[in-house]
């Protein structure tokens, strides 16, 4: 069986680092308003830029600078822009700490004879760096870094790896990216919730109606669902 794992917030924390950067951004721009008022403007810029920049630290950094320019009518200081650039650089090199169960689950699945895939989306350089810093690279037979996780992307991957609904499982924290596209195509998906989720990855409860997938409380529990 080919078992695919999402990376960010499934194998190691990621969103908390981004949340901290955004909190610092709101502190820098505090003279422009409260975080509750500024956040929708930042997200609007991020969402508009997705088609150009994609996902990841570099995309967020550019969106922070653009939002700061908009909020200050172009008066943001060079010192504050440098602070935002430094925050972005920190996102590209934070220490990778594995989430509970990761160090045990991956080797066990390999011992059971499964092939493992790391399937993540975002900036190629950034994601490759995270994999290298994680020390997990040798545990995966395949590493796929894609620009988006949607049904067309999964269909291409299924064809490339000759994956069938009986021979493939996707495991991840994002209902939008890791679970729903896979389950809607008739393949198996296991949801491992994480306490922090970017607003762009959130889905309404109505989107889950009629979709067949499993949810576990921790990554270790996936061992009970797989042969």
């Amino acid at each position: 069986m080919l078992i695919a794992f999402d990376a960010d917030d499934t194998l190691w924390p990621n969103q908390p680092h981004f949340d901290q950067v955004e909190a610092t951004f709101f502190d820098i721009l505090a003279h422009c308003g409260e975080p509750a008022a500024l956040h929708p403007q930042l997200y609007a810029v991020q969402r508009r830029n997705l088609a150009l920049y994609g996902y990841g630290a570099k995309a967020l950094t550019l969106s922070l600078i653009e939002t700061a320019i908009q909020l200050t009518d172009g008066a943001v200081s060079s010192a504050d822009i440098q602070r935002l650039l430094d925050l972005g650089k920190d996102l590209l090199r934070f220490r990778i700490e594995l989430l509970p169960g990761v160090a045990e689950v991956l080797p066990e699945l390999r011992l059971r004879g499964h092939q493992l895939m790391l399937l993540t989306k975002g900036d190629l350089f950034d994601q490759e760096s995270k994999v290298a810093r994680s020390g997990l690279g040798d545990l995966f037979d395949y590493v796929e870094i894609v620009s988006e996780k949607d049904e067309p992307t999964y269909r291409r991957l299924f064809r490339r790896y000759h994956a069938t609904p009986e021979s493939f499982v996707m495991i991840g924290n994002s209902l939008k990216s890791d679970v729903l596209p896979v389950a809607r195509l008739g393949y198996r998906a296991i949801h491992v919730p994480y306490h922090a989720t970017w607003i762009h990855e959130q889905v309404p409860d109505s989107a889950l109606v009629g979709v067949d997938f499993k949810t576990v409380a921790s990554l270790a529990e996936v061992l009970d669902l797989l042969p």
Side-chain angles (χ1 to χ4, degrees):
M1 181 178 292
L2 177 57
I3 303 173
F5 285 86
D6 171 53
D8 295 334
D9 300 320
T10 297
L11 301 180
W12 53 73
N14 184 73
Q15 188 59 41
H17 296 283
F18 279 68
D19 290 342
Q20 183 57 55
V21 164
E22 289 191 9
T24 304
F25 169 77
F26 295 137
D27 286 341
I28 294 172
L29 275 297
H31 59 283
C32 295
E34 295 294 323
L38 302 184
H39 186 271
Q41 297 184 62
L42 171 60
Y43 177 56
V45 172
Q46 289 179 283
R47 187 175 54 192
R48 186 169 64 246
N49 286 338
L50 277 176
L52 292 173
Y53 302 149
Y55 300 92
K58 296 173 188 175
L60 175 60
T61 303
L62 290 170
S63 291
L64 291 177
I65 293 172
E66 182 177 342
T67 305
I69 292 171
Q70 291 181 359
L71 291 173
T72 63
D73 292 325
V76 61
S77 68
S78 59
D80 283 343
I81 290 178
Q82 185 61 59
R83 291 179 66 185
L84 297 179
L85 288 170
D86 290 340
L87 288 172
K89 291 176 182 178
D90 288 341
L91 280 179
L92 291 168
R93 58 193 175 202
F94 64 80
R95 182 185 176 196
I96 299 295
E97 298 179 353
L98 302 183
L99 287 169
V102 172
E104 296 75 33
V105 169
L106 298 183
E108 173 61 25
L109 291 174
R110 287 185 65 88
L111 284 174
R112 294 183 186 185
H114 298 298
Q115 290 187 310
L116 303 185
M117 173 188 291
L118 184 66
L119 176 51
T120 183
K121 71 179 180 182
D123 176 74
L124 178 63
F125 185 87
D126 188 10
Q127 296 302 95
E128 285 183 337
S129 176
K130 288 179 188 175
V131 175
R133 302 198 312 271
S134 75
L136 297 175
D138 290 342
L139 291 174
F140 291 97
D141 300 280
Y142 312 103
V143 175
E144 289 283 350
I145 300 172
V146 298
S147 57
E148 188 59 89
K149 283 181 173 177
D150 52 17
E151 291 186 24
T153 298
Y154 282 108
R155 285 194 187 97
R156 289 194 297 272
L157 291 172
F158 294 155
R159 288 195 298 268
R160 183 180 306 162
Y161 291 94
H162 307 288
T164 66
E166 295 76 26
S167 67
F168 179 89
V169 179
M170 180 69 203
I171 299 172
N173 71 291
S174 172
L175 288 168
K176 180 178 180 180
S177 296
D178 303 320
V179 174
L180 293 181
V182 175
R184 286 169 176 161
L185 290 171
Y187 288 69
R188 293 180 63 188
I190 300 176
H191 181 220
V192 187
Y194 189 62
H195 66 85
T197 303
W198 183 31
I199 185 174
H200 190 72
E201 293 295 318
Q202 297 174 9
V203 297
D205 291 341
S206 59
L208 308 180
V209 176
V211 183
D212 183 26
F213 63 92
K214 300 291 186 181
T215 298
V216 294
S218 67
L219 192 66
E221 293 182 20
V222 305
L223 295 177
D224 297 328
L225 299 178
L226 299 171

